[in-house]
Amino acid sequence: MKLTRKLVLAKAKASDLESVKKLNCWGCNLTDISIFSQMPSIEVLTLSVNNIASLSALAGCQSLSELYLRRNMIPTLSELCHLRPLTRLRVLWLAENPCCGTDPSRYRLTVLRCLPRLQKLDNQVVTDEEVALALMEGDEVSTPTGNIHSQLPNNGLPDAETENDPLNYNMEETNKIREELGMKPLSRDKFSSLSSPSTMEKPTMKKTHILDAVLLLLRDLDEEELHVVHTATQNRLQTYTLDSGDGPRSSSQKTAEIQH
């Protein structure tokens, strides 16, 4: 069943789609929710107990803060990539969907790696420690076909040249991390203006590119997001300490090298 404009207005008791902030479509046998591409102002959305398989229509709902999708037909966690741009999303109920699999712990870590801003998942509060662990151990969610990265232009460069271009490589690494944090990707021009000349002149190993990408990301993070990064970094450093007898000393040396 397709969710129509008429049905939305009737349920919300509204005169136009733009004014609808909350909508409850629990148990309506819905399969098509494309109408939400016309509802960027929706804030709380209940779609539990339906037959929804795709979340692509929700990608533009920038005001969405609560989303209830329990007992639908979401096939894979890749669909969560459509929710990454929703920076205000704090509550998600996704339980009892095919994408949840048979390993609850792995499922939860993977969802939180994809959507680290969540404060409650499946009616359970999300902790900072849990998000930090998810960023390190959660599975990386693959991007559905037709996602924004596949649509990014090459600015006239041939494919081979673009692939080997250090600026393009750094940009892809940066945008990959930005996407996981629910941030908008940087354009090639914007990335070039943010990158330092020394970074662009000496591209070498992949880890160097990733470090450059992380340092660029820090400029755009707010206090809450920086706190998540800080917790994840501390936990990561602790693993090095446990794995190596001289871990603390090595970590201090690396920190000093970066600062200088």
Side-chain angles (χ1 to χ4, degrees):
M1 178 179 174
K2 181 176 182 178
L3 182 60
T4 63
R5 181 177 185 276
K6 181 178 180 179
L7 184 56
V8 169
L9 296 181
K11 283 186 168 294
K13 298 180 180 180
S15 57
D16 59 87
L17 295 178
E18 291 75 15
S19 64
V20 178
K21 305 297 184 182
K22 298 182 180 180
L23 185 66
N24 188 340
C25 292
W26 189 97
C28 293
N29 199 32
L30 298 176
T31 56
D32 185 339
I33 57 171
S34 57
I35 187 68
F36 291 118
S37 62
Q38 305 173 43
M39 300 176 61
S41 299
I42 190 75
E43 298 176 0
V44 179
L45 184 55
T46 299
L47 296 171
S48 298
V49 194
N50 284 289
N51 293 301
I52 299 166
S54 173
L55 303 180
S56 60
L58 301 178
C61 298
Q62 295 292 327
S63 298
L64 192 62
S65 61
E66 298 183 24
L67 177 59
Y68 301 92
L69 290 165
R70 185 176 63 88
R71 290 181 60 184
N72 272 279
M73 299 299 294
I74 310 300
T76 70
L77 293 178
S78 296
E79 288 297 319
L80 295 181
C81 290
H82 297 301
L83 305 183
R84 280 174 172 165
L86 311 186
T87 58
R88 298 183 182 180
L89 186 63
R90 294 295 181 268
V91 177
L92 175 65
W93 199 328
L94 191 64
E96 299 179 69
N97 272 275
C99 63
C100 297
T102 57
D103 186 341
S105 177
R106 176 58 53 187
Y107 150 77
R108 190 171 175 87
L109 288 176
T110 300
V111 173
L112 292 178
R113 174 172 178 174
C114 183
L115 303 172
R117 299 171 183 266
L118 289 180
Q119 295 177 353
K120 184 178 288 188
L121 174 61
D122 296 340
N123 207 33
Q124 294 183 21
V125 174
V126 175
T127 65
D128 290 341
E129 292 73 20
E130 194 175 17
V131 173
L133 182 63
L135 292 175
M136 292 189 296
E137 298 186 5
D139 294 335
E140 183 176 353
V141 175
S142 59
T143 304
T145 303
N147 132 297
I148 187 170
H149 290 296
S150 64
Q151 300 170 9
L152 287 176
N154 289 341
N155 294 294
L157 292 174
D159 291 342
E161 183 178 349
T162 302
E163 181 178 357
N164 295 323
D165 181 11
L167 173 58
N168 186 68
Y169 186 88
N170 269 3
M171 184 174 68
E172 288 181 356
E173 290 291 340
T174 301
N175 283 337
K176 180 179 178 182
I177 301 173
R178 290 178 70 91
E179 186 182 30
E180 290 192 6
L181 293 172
M183 301 165 65
K184 293 182 179 180
L186 287 174
S187 66
R188 188 180 178 86
D189 292 340
K190 178 68 172 177
F191 182 86
S192 179
S193 66
L194 288 174
S195 302
S196 64
S198 59
T199 299
M200 305 315 303
E201 290 170 1
K202 300 180 179 180
T204 53
M205 300 174 63
K206 181 176 180 180
K207 285 188 177 181
T208 300
H209 291 303
I210 294 176
L211 178 59
D212 292 338
V214 171
L215 294 177
L216 283 172
L217 284 169
L218 293 178
R219 303 182 185 184
D220 292 338
L221 299 182
D222 58 24
E223 182 178 358
E224 177 185 351
E225 294 159 345
L226 286 171
H227 182 66
V228 171
V229 173
H230 177 67
T231 304
T233 303
Q234 286 183 317
N235 289 348
R236 183 64 173 170
L237 287 173
Q238 287 176 1
T239 63
Y240 282 110
T241 301
L242 294 174
D243 292 342
S244 174
D246 59 348
R249 180 181 178 183
S250 298
S251 299
S252 298
Q253 291 174 340
K254 290 181 179 179
T255 302
E257 291 175 3
I258 292 175
Q259 291 175 340
H260 291 82

